[in-house]
Amino acid sequence: MTKEVSTARGLTDTQARAIEGAAQAARVYREELPQMPARPTLDLDEAAGRFLGPLPEAGMPEDDVIAQIVRDASGGLHSMANPTFFGYVLGASHPVGVAADMLVSAWGQNAGSSFETPAVTGMERAVCDWVISLLSLPPDSGAGLVTGGTVANMVGVMAARNKLLSAQGWDVEADGLFGAPEIPVLIGQDAHSAPFAALRYAGLGAARVQVVETDGEGRIMPDAFRKALEQIDAPPLVVLQAGQINTGAFDPFTDLIPMVHERKGWVHVDGAFGLWLAAVPELEHRLADVQKADSWAVDLHKWLNAPFDAGMVIVRDRAPLVASMSARGAYLPETTVHWEPTDSTPELSRRARGIPSYAILRHLGVTGVRELVARHCRLAERIAATVSAESGLAVLNEIHSNQVAIACGDDGLTMRVLKRVQERGKVYPTHGEWAGRQIIRASVIGYAMTEIDADLLSAEVINAYRWCASNPE
Ligand SMILES: *Cc1c(COP(=O)(O)O)cnc(C)c1O
């Protein structure tokens, strides 16, 4: 009897409490975040040990499961969503995106098909249109919502592969790569590891690519690039970069892209975070002509601060994107929105991962997106100015976007300073290597970061440096 009643309202009491408990725990976590240490207090063995072991024979009520997860995760989570997190290049899961993300799971939509879930398709299509428009990319481009930058790069490279080979009369989707004409691939020597992975996944090989010399900021040098192109006879695939991981710099698109197109090649841009500068009128000249490329990879879970599992591939010519990604039968009709989600991503079934980004974009509006990106670039300059004013500390890069590469007198000292900053637990930058040196890398990207956080980062680095310099090991 009880069972029938609860089934009639869709949820049992324990299920309802589980959902409410999770929402409440989410809220409490984010409210308490500023008081929490910037890094986990438990090590991997302690934190993971709470969860490992055999699956118990007996199950557990749903609300108790949520309570257990919340309790046992405590101390083992990293405060990545806090504006004191300057590590890697990570967004901070904007709360409106988090809230929308809960709906994504609750609705349980398979976003792969527009025929079954038209509202989701509408929101995801809006995200694609809005991002394309914000970044001033060609309005008729094809786009796919993927898991992140790495997969966005992979899909872009696969679309390129389709087009470059079909131009030589080879159908790579039907016949694969064995016996196919070669595709020469060029990439800058300071490219991120993700496009190398993408090339590997696409069967183009990470090691057979030709790596082109870059300047002190990690930008491809046009003369070296021209020379490299002259050695090549087939139309190449060229991977350029908008936002070098250590310096935040941009390849010189104005010089490079026409050289590739003269040779009927394809330009793919890894713009995981840096492409967002194209949304800001006073900054977009830094990546002028990036829109002339053929495909772009951009993350939504970095600068847009969407919860993780959010990236986007954009391809000027939609046909090779669909040819390389579509898993559906060709007989299915086009929808009224002329966009079938599964045509542009590797997955067939997937979560409605575009909805958190829809919520964030709708919340910010064009003005909010511009303000966010411009503020972070300003804060990066502020950090660079403060830190480099301390004698003994150096900022190794020019500030092109939101990345600051900090080094001390020698590598050993730099690493000690970083360790001390991290251990103090007030702010959390991470490590990098640049110009043959170890660096402390600060990435200004969390939606809530202000001058207070930027100044705290600078002060922590300067104080740790002074302490380490006067307390040699
Ligand atoms: C983060 C990043 C990637 C990889 O993106 P993921 O979302 O981590 O897969 C690729 N390129 C650059 C420049 C990045 O910063």
Side-chain angles (χ1 to χ4, degrees), residues 53-62 64-65 68:
L55 177 66
E57 286 296 324
M60 200 176 181
E62 295 92 334
D64 290 348
V65 172
Q68 183 238 298

Side-chain angles (χ1 to χ4, degrees), residues 160-178:
R161 184 184 77 167
N162 169 281
K163 184 66 175 270
L164 291 171
L165 288 177
S166 70
Q168 299 202 55
W170 186 270
D171 180 350
V172 68
E173 269 61 51
D175 301 323
L177 283 171
F178 296 105

